[in-house]
Amino acid sequence: MKVLVAVKRVVDYNVQVRVKSDGSDVDIANVKMSMNPFDEIAVEEAVRLKEAGKVAEIVAVSLGVKQCEETLRTALAMGADRAVHVETDAELQPLAVAKLLAAVARREQPGLLLLGKQAIDDDANQTGQMVSALLGWGLGSAASRVELSDSVTVTREVDGGAQTVKLTLPAVVTADLRLNEPRFVKLPNIMAAKKKPLEKLTVAELGVDIAPRLKTLKLAEPSPRKAGIKVATAAELVAKLKNEAKVL
């Protein structure tokens, strides 16, 4: 079986994100970028399935600017066999991403499409659901456990506890934080990843319309929190909640 894993290049989770002075976008100039943590978990799960003998080939795919090659090389170092890069400088909203992933999936014909449940930059949590609908494949979202055979069984956390769904293949599975802990990539694997094949595709080759459907009006950083105060008595606290905070 072939597994297709989607990975996204995002601002590293340790970086303090800043908004541009004109409020048009997030400032990523000279900022450390890395693989989306949820996608990293998806890659790790694919590698574990291959190590268990249930997957024959892992193909990593990324969409976006030329620097996405670095993210794909990380996926290759983790254990992916080859990579596909759909290179574009255009803004890619979740629907466009889903359309591109669906086009790549039709081209590659995987038994399973794995990706993170959301990206930490826009937190949209939409792509997995959209690509599932576009392909007409079953969806196991926010997976905390994956069991693969002639079908795929996905355990996911819900409000009432845990839910288990069984999907016929091919299927789409999105990874949650509790699915696994990604491995540390060793230097020899990083060097070996440079020799693994990385295919380049264009949006035109896939025949996909990626025109934005949404327009960002303005971005703004959260207002700074006001300093707390101490009160001497419970009565004073109640008075402030009633007269100043207006919550009572």
Side-chain angles (χ1 to χ4, degrees), residues 141-146 154-157 162 174-176 178-180:
S141 61
S144 58
R145 184 177 181 183
V146 174
V154 175
T155 301
R156 53 195 303 272
E157 294 182 5
T174 69
D176 203 353
R178 293 174 183 80
L179 181 57
N180 61 55

Side-chain angles (χ1 to χ4, degrees), residues 187-215:
L187 181 59
N189 294 340
I190 296 174
M191 301 305 295
K194 296 179 179 180
K195 299 179 180 179
K196 291 184 178 180
L198 193 157
E199 181 183 4
K200 289 279 190 177
L201 294 175
T202 64
V203 173
E205 286 178 290
L206 295 175
V208 174
D209 175 17
I210 62 169
R213 264 60 175 183
L214 305 173
K215 181 179 179 181

